[in-house]
Amino acid sequence: MTVHATTGQPTDTPAEEFFTVSIHQSEVDRIARWVANHPDCETGGNLFGFWTHGRAPAVQLTLGPGPGADHQLTAFFQDVDHLRTHGRRAQELYGLQHIGDWHSHHRLGLAEPSGGDASTTLRTLQTNGFERFVIFIANISDEPRDRGWRRRREFTGLVRLNAFLFERGRSTFRRGRFLVLPEESPIAHSAAQQGITEPYAPGSVRVRLPLASRTPTQSASHAQGWYSRPAGTEFLRAVDTACRQQFTDCRILVRSDDGILRYEFATRKSDWEMVFPAAFPHEPAELIRDGKRFKPIEAGRTPTPDDFCRQILESVHSSESGGPSLGPPDHGTPSDQDLLPREDLPEEEERRDDLD
Ligand SMILES: [Zn+2]
């Protein structure tokens, strides 16, 4: 299964109140994996980076729960030695600061800091003389198709991540949007080699987070894609309608920098994508199964949605009914250890996270 750093969520906070937090895809994946490893209790860790000229947090390195962390249903206590040791090395080697913390509210249904989180954070600002501190809250949602569908014994939920900025002298937090930088953070890559964080394996956990809007020039350029012309829009709408009758989790994603459009959908067996190049229909769309190229779909010079959808349906059905072209699913098989929450109890407690 591929990772999806995906579409923004609408929210009613005024736009000027939002802040932007930049973070590499690798660190989003790491957090998602840690959250998935503790699906039924809180887990958490720490964010290291720096602040930009615009006072926006730039996360370079994430720390997960230490071996002595305490994971409770409604509280998480970081392993203080873990934070102290690794935080000091992140500072000495890379000049990073401890700019925030993250923790999971798993399936508790609270997608923002609790009253307890807020007062703990404001106290942190006071005690340390920090001007600002960022908090990520993760939640797990199980999509309808995941219910009763755990035959792979792997985490099938969706991790949602939200960011909140606390500032000294301000009693409320601001909501953040993510600017996700590509691939692995170079600092985190080095830090993994130093044993400060875990080695990065591109994630198998689906993540959704509110994205910062792109610059106007980028929006203007992708508005000129084939799909923004009337015939293209109509084609795409017809494909979407046909797919929604057959598949679940149908979703369109546009990459603004290169005009590539991806259409995701799922069956009970696999996650699929159609990738439309900017030059579509002059270049074929690509059908992807579970993150692996499956086959190109030629659309012809003047594609009709009927023909196109027929090719898609035939390809999906023939591959999933066990045809010879079917390779093994690309899903990892996490060990039992990965799936079971650990119950280590520490002597020391860093901070309390009471949910009200
Ligand atoms: Zn909390």
Side-chain angles (χ1 to χ4, degrees):
M1 209 186 295
T2 50
V3 169
H4 311 288
T6 55
T7 47
Q9 302 158 347
T11 157
D12 47 13
T13 313
E16 62 271 19
E17 288 295 304
F18 286 115
F19 71 97
T20 299
V21 50
S22 65
I23 184 168
H24 281 268
Q25 183 68 55
S26 60
E27 303 317 284
V28 172
D29 290 347
R30 279 191 172 95
I31 291 175
R33 171 52 62 194
W34 283 316
V35 171
N37 284 347
H38 291 90
D40 302 311
C41 60
E42 290 205 8
T43 187
N46 314 95
L47 307 172
F48 293 88
F50 50 81
W51 298 92
T52 69
H53 286 306
R55 298 176 180 179
V59 176
Q60 303 292 307
L61 173 66
T62 54
L63 212 57
D70 183 7
H71 304 264
Q72 298 185 3
L73 182 65
T74 61
F76 170 73
F77 305 86
Q78 176 60 298
D79 174 338
V80 179
D81 286 341
H82 183 76
L83 167 60
R84 204 172 282 150
T85 313
H86 292 80
R88 193 185 298 125
R89 295 199 67 210
Q91 190 167 38
E92 285 168 0
L93 291 173
Y94 312 112
L96 299 183
Q97 293 180 308
H98 181 193
I99 60 170
D101 289 341
W102 68 271
H103 68 272
S104 169
H105 285 169
H106 51 104
R107 296 182 173 103
L108 295 170
L110 180 63
E112 59 181 41
S114 67
D117 294 333
S119 49
T120 306
T121 307
L122 292 171
R123 213 161 43 238
T124 303
L125 293 180
Q126 285 292 331
T127 330
N128 296 293
F130 293 164
E131 285 299 315
R132 52 193 81 86
F133 205 65
V134 63
I135 298 289
F136 289 177
I137 300 290
N139 298 87
I140 296 171
S141 51
D142 296 300
E143 295 186 348
R145 68 166 176 140
D146 296 328
R147 287 185 200 130
W149 180 46
R150 296 179 183 264
R151 63 194 172 78
R152 290 194 203 94
R153 302 185 68 219
E154 73 178 47
F155 180 82
T156 56
L158 176 72
V159 172
R160 294 177 188 273
L161 196 61
N162 284 286
F164 306 89
L165 184 66
F166 289 82
E167 294 159 298
R168 197 126 70 110
R170 187 177 173 135
S171 56
T172 55
F173 52 73
R174 287 163 62 195
R175 288 171 189 276
R177 287 180 170 176
F178 290 85
L179 178 64
V180 180
L181 304 172
E183 302 179 1
E184 184 171 17
S185 154
I187 290 181
H189 180 78
S190 170
Q193 292 174 332
Q194 299 283 339
I196 297 173
T197 189
E198 297 170 10
Y200 173 50
S204 57
V205 177
R206 291 178 300 145
V207 188
R208 192 165 295 173
L209 65 183
L211 295 182
S213 57
R214 299 290 180 167
T215 62
T217 39
Q218 285 172 316
S219 311
S221 72
H222 86 242
Q224 288 162 18
W226 62 272
Y227 44 83
S228 63
R229 292 188 283 273
T233 308
E234 201 177 305
F235 175 83
L236 197 57
R237 192 174 294 144
V239 170
D240 182 50
T241 304
C243 284
R244 285 181 188 279
Q245 289 167 2
Q246 297 282 334
F247 308 121
T248 58
D249 293 356
C250 297
R251 182 164 60 170
I252 297 171
L253 299 162
V254 174
R255 221 155 70 189
S256 56
D257 49 349
D258 51 16
I260 291 177
L261 182 143
R262 290 162 53 214
Y263 189 96
E264 296 182 351
F265 59 95
T267 62
R268 288 180 62 81
K269 289 187 174 174
S270 296
D271 287 336
W272 291 87
E273 280 176 63
M274 289 177 248
V275 179
F276 296 89
F280 182 83
H282 304 290
E283 291 176 13
E286 194 81 45
L287 193 57
I288 312 273
R289 182 183 185 183
D290 288 331
K292 282 189 177 165
R293 285 180 71 181
F294 183 68
K295 67 184 284 191
I297 304 287
E298 297 282 353
R301 204 171 284 269
T302 47
T304 70
D306 286 351
D307 286 348
F308 186 83
C309 290
R310 193 173 307 124
Q311 289 191 67
I312 297 288
L313 293 180
E314 282 172 9
S315 302
V316 169
H317 289 150
S318 72
S319 86
E320 295 198 341
S321 59
S325 58
L326 173 60
D330 188 29
H331 292 81
T333 45
S335 65
D336 289 346
Q337 194 184 342
D338 289 335
L339 294 168
L340 296 171
R342 271 171 277 170
E343 297 288 343
D344 300 333
L345 296 171
E347 293 300 314
E348 284 188 276
E349 297 174 346
E350 186 216 355
R351 47 194 305 200
R352 175 112 206 159
D353 172 20
D354 288 315
L355 283 172
D356 299 327

